[in-house]
Amino acid sequence: MELWFTEEHTPEVKLSIKVDRQLFSAQSEYQRIDVFDSKEFGRFLTLDGYMMLTEKDEFIYHEMIVHVPMAVHPNVKKILVIGAGDGGVVRELTKYETIEHIDMVEIDELVVEVCKKHLPFTACCFDDPRVHIFYQDALKYIRTCQNEYDLIIVDSTDPFGPGEVLFTKEFYGNCYKALKEDGIVVNQHESPFYQKDALAMQRAHKRIVESFPIYKVYQAHIPTYPSGHWLFGFSSKKHHPTNEFNPTKWNSLGLKTRYYNTRLHVGAFALPNYVEEMLKDVE
Amino acid sequence: MELWFTEEHTPEVKLSIKVDRQLFSAQSEYQRIDVFDSKEFGRFLTLDGYMMLTEKDEFIYHEMIVHVPMAVHPNVKKILVIGAGDGGVVRELTKYETIEHIDMVEIDELVVEVCKKHLPFTACCFDDPRVHIFYQDALKYIRTCQNEYDLIIVDSTDPFGPGEVLFTKEFYGNCYKALKEDGIVVNQHESPFYQKDALAMQRAHKRIVESFPIYKVYQAHIPTYPSGHWLFGFSSKKHHPTNEFNPTKWNSLGLKTRYYNTRLHVGAFALPNYVEEMLKDVE
């Protein structure tokens, strides 16, 4: 027999992955959760049928969403992570000895439980004593925060379903308020290539521009996401992501990465013209 | 009815594109040639079932293979283009008024005929008086050249079938000989992501390293190629692709591009660690 997982990137484009077997499938209060094993990508997680991460390429997403802001901010002590139930963001963050406190707000407890059981390569560091998990709505959580965090990482799903509130003006306004005076927010910023993703990307960017004085976008190659061309938002009260960046300091930490490096850090902010134009349209 | 084009990126990964209709299909002396119309990507060309270009994203490949070397070399007069029967490379080159002569060596005349008829968005500039097309084997052609070209662009298919000779040591040795003393070769360098492509990429790089003193690799996001993460090789006798690069000069030309810009030029040479390691393995 053959078993194939297929994701519609648009109604006219499909990516299919041959699956060895389905390890888990359930409907939580918020979404459908599936875990598969495959030869090409190893183990992978989908939410509502959308690819969240694969064992083969998750390092790209997680390194780029964590190490870029960590290499810019000179002194991150306290972090808020939103979403990220798979544990990949927390895994990368816990490599930094200087971080003192990580709050993680994930709406769906079942995602964390499933990842602890089936995705040990990402869900490996929830037991770190600096990590505090809150299972609740991120918007409700962040409304109560003020001048508290050095860094907020928004590891959201797409802006449809449970992730939708993480793409609103109210949410980004509250992120601003929750940050200290030199705080940074990094968010999963969708893709510029297919129209639906590009519109979501523009909407997210518009919200951020309305809330922050510094708003830059950077890119990475993530083969299992639609088009493989993925963006991250870097918004900040004070720190510029490349002008104030000190590569020597980050390199002196000796962290081992497979995608991120300090040359690529700067290069990732050099976007194609067509992406720059889409962003400028909403600035 | 539904009509779907499917390409196997690996035996375990498939990309499928919904097709409106097939416009052309024939077996030439060298390969099978197909042209399709689709809603998502517009018109697209496949050779032996492999995606060559789509109307939606061909600008990325063609701008990156042409403008990077053109922005580095200070005085390109005479160019050799290998492959490139779709006309996209020639279209970008003819934007430069300072270029005097373009030789194009394409093995398959039928590809050029089909593209002239069905792909007017790329095959638009073959009539430029500076363009001279030779329908013959590129290796045989280049064996006869010496100290002749400022720039060689190798727009090859994959290293299986008719494109195979373009990945040999003999071919790159002959490119070296065919170039003037400050000449540059740029080549389609495959992808680092899936194993078969990555091995082809390493083989190509090894051949280039054996033939040229300067060998760098740069990347682009090309959504319709396997994994979307595509590489180009920049090899040179003298000019370094970023150290000697003069963005002001290129910008003063006023060329309109949708992907390439001079910030991205530099950024594209900042590769992920895992790609750098693959390249170093064969250097």
Side-chain angles (χ1 to χ4, degrees):
Chain A
M1 74 165 214
E2 292 196 0
L3 187 61
W4 288 83
F5 163 84
T6 295
E7 180 178 341
E8 276 195 1
H9 287 177
T10 81
E12 322 260 329
V13 183
K14 299 187 295 195
L15 185 74
S16 302
I17 298 171
K18 198 172 176 183
V19 164
D20 283 342
R21 64 196 178 112
Q22 187 176 33
L23 296 173
F24 180 84
S25 183
Q27 181 74 35
S28 77
E29 192 181 339
Y30 304 99
Q31 56 206 338
R32 178 171 165 164
I33 305 168
D34 291 275
V35 179
F36 301 91
D37 259 343
S38 72
K39 194 171 153 197
E40 185 65 52
F41 294 105
R43 199 155 285 185
F44 66 90
L45 169 74
T46 66
L47 296 178
D48 285 338
Y50 293 104
M51 179 62 78
M52 290 296 114
L53 67 88
T54 83
E55 196 169 352
K56 181 175 170 126
D57 72 345
E58 57 82 13
F59 68 99
I60 303 171
Y61 180 90
H62 292 126
E63 289 184 10
M64 289 301 280
I65 204 167
V66 167
H67 299 303
V68 169
M70 286 302 297
V72 172
H73 194 294
N75 190 24
V76 176
K77 299 279 189 201
K78 189 168 182 183
I79 298 176
L80 174 62
V81 178
I82 289 170
D86 56 70
V89 167
V90 164
R91 179 192 66 201
E92 294 303 312
L93 285 172
T94 54
K95 293 177 179 173
Y96 292 85
E97 290 177 6
T98 49
I99 291 174
E100 293 173 355
H101 192 105
I102 301 168
D103 288 328
M104 180 179 129
V105 182
E106 162 64 59
I107 200 166
D108 196 341
E109 186 165 2
L110 188 58
V111 170
V112 175
E113 282 175 21
V114 169
C115 292
K116 278 184 178 170
K117 183 167 177 197
H118 292 290
L119 278 70
F121 50 94
T122 52
C124 52
C125 302
F126 287 132
D127 292 339
D128 187 293
R130 296 170 292 176
V131 178
H132 309 268
I133 307 184
F134 302 89
Y135 295 109
Q136 66 179 86
D137 180 276
L139 184 56
K140 281 186 193 155
Y141 178 92
I142 204 165
R143 276 185 192 134
T144 67
C145 306
Q146 199 156 356
N147 191 29
E148 189 170 347
Y149 295 105
D150 301 301
L151 170 61
I152 299 174
I153 295 180
V154 186
D155 179 12
S156 68
T157 53
D158 293 327
F160 327 108
E164 204 165 345
V165 296
L166 307 181
F167 286 79
T168 59
K169 187 177 174 185
E170 188 192 354
F171 175 72
Y172 283 106
N174 278 290
C175 283
Y176 186 91
K177 187 170 63 66
L179 284 173
K180 290 185 186 158
E181 63 179 13
D182 66 344
I184 295 170
V185 175
V186 168
N187 67 297
Q188 176 299 84
H189 208 78
E190 299 290 314
S191 165
F193 192 70
Y194 294 119
Q195 193 178 21
K196 191 179 176 191
D197 301 327
L199 287 172
M201 182 272 277
Q202 286 186 302
R203 273 198 303 272
H205 193 63
K206 191 165 161 48
R207 298 307 172 224
I208 290 167
V209 167
E210 290 165 345
S211 304
F212 284 86
I214 295 169
Y215 39 83
K216 299 290 173 188
V217 170
Y218 61 102
Q219 63 189 356
H221 290 89
I222 305 184
T224 53
Y225 284 0
S227 87
H229 189 176
W230 215 257
L231 303 178
F232 298 91
F234 179 106
S235 15
S236 166
K237 291 188 175 184
K238 186 178 153 197
H239 299 296
H240 188 282
T242 54
N243 297 352
E244 291 172 46
F245 166 56
N246 180 349
T248 312
K249 188 179 168 198
W250 190 85
N251 285 319
S252 74
L253 297 175
L255 300 183
K256 196 168 162 47
T257 50
R258 291 163 63 202
Y259 191 88
Y260 178 84
N261 59 60
T262 51
R263 275 185 67 224
L264 185 139
H265 176 118
V266 177
F269 284 91
L271 302 176
N273 286 350
Y274 85 98
V275 181
E276 290 280 12
E277 283 160 19
M278 281 179 185
L279 295 170
K280 275 189 199 126
D281 278 351
V282 294
E283 285 178 2
Chain B
M1 74 165 213
E2 292 196 1
L3 187 61
W4 288 83
F5 163 84
T6 295
E7 181 178 340
E8 276 194 0
H9 287 176
T10 82
E12 322 259 328
V13 183
K14 299 187 295 196
L15 186 74
S16 302
I17 298 171
K18 198 173 178 183
V19 164
D20 282 342
R21 62 194 180 115
Q22 187 175 33
L23 296 173
F24 180 84
S25 183
Q27 181 74 36
S28 77
E29 192 181 338
Y30 303 99
Q31 55 206 337
R32 178 170 165 166
I33 305 168
D34 290 275
V35 179
F36 300 92
D37 259 342
S38 72
K39 193 171 154 197
E40 185 65 51
F41 294 105
R43 200 156 285 185
F44 66 91
L45 169 74
T46 66
L47 296 179
D48 285 339
Y50 293 104
M51 180 61 79
M52 291 296 114
L53 67 88
T54 82
E55 196 169 353
K56 182 176 171 128
D57 72 345
E58 59 81 14
F59 69 99
I60 303 171
Y61 180 90
H62 291 127
E63 289 184 10
M64 289 302 281
I65 204 167
V66 166
H67 299 302
V68 170
M70 286 302 298
V72 172
H73 195 293
N75 189 23
V76 176
K77 299 280 189 200
K78 190 168 182 182
I79 298 176
L80 175 61
V81 178
I82 290 171
D86 55 70
V89 167
V90 164
R91 179 193 65 201
E92 293 303 310
L93 286 172
T94 54
K95 293 177 180 173
Y96 292 86
E97 290 176 6
T98 50
I99 291 173
E100 294 173 356
H101 191 106
I102 301 168
D103 288 327
M104 179 178 131
V105 182
E106 163 64 57
I107 201 166
D108 196 342
E109 186 165 4
L110 189 57
V111 170
V112 175
E113 282 175 21
V114 169
C115 292
K116 278 183 177 170
K117 184 166 177 197
H118 293 291
L119 279 68
F121 49 93
T122 53
C124 52
C125 303
F126 288 131
D127 292 339
D128 186 293
R130 296 170 291 177
V131 177
H132 309 268
I133 306 184
F134 303 89
Y135 295 109
Q136 66 178 86
D137 180 276
L139 183 57
K140 281 186 193 156
Y141 179 92
I142 204 166
R143 277 186 191 133
T144 67
C145 305
Q146 199 157 355
N147 192 28
E148 191 170 344
Y149 296 104
D150 301 301
L151 171 61
I152 299 175
I153 294 180
V154 187
D155 180 11
S156 67
T157 53
D158 293 328
F160 327 109
E164 203 166 346
V165 297
L166 306 181
F167 287 80
T168 61
K169 188 178 174 184
E170 189 193 354
F171 175 72
Y172 282 106
N174 278 290
C175 283
Y176 185 91
K177 188 170 62 64
L179 284 174
K180 290 186 186 158
E181 63 178 12
D182 66 344
I184 295 170
V185 176
V186 168
N187 67 297
Q188 175 300 83
H189 208 78
E190 299 290 313
S191 165
F193 192 70
Y194 294 121
Q195 192 178 23
K196 191 179 176 191
D197 301 327
L199 287 171
M201 182 273 276
Q202 286 186 301
R203 274 197 304 272
H205 193 62
K206 191 165 161 48
R207 299 305 172 224
I208 290 167
V209 168
E210 289 165 347
S211 303
F212 284 86
I214 295 170
Y215 39 82
K216 298 291 174 188
V217 171
Y218 60 103
Q219 63 189 357
H221 291 88
I222 304 184
T224 53
Y225 284 180
S227 87
H229 189 176
W230 215 258
L231 303 178
F232 299 91
F234 179 105
S235 17
S236 165
K237 291 187 175 184
K238 189 179 151 196
H239 299 296
H240 188 281
T242 54
N243 298 351
E244 292 171 45
F245 167 56
N246 181 349
T248 313
K249 189 180 167 198
W250 190 85
N251 285 318
S252 73
L253 297 175
L255 300 183
K256 196 168 162 48
T257 50
R258 290 163 63 201
Y259 191 88
Y260 178 84
N261 60 58
T262 51
R263 275 184 66 223
L264 185 140
H265 177 119
V266 178
F269 284 90
L271 302 176
N273 286 351
Y274 86 97
V275 181
E276 290 281 13
E277 283 160 19
M278 282 180 185
L279 295 170
K280 276 191 198 125
D281 278 350
V282 294
E283 285 178 3

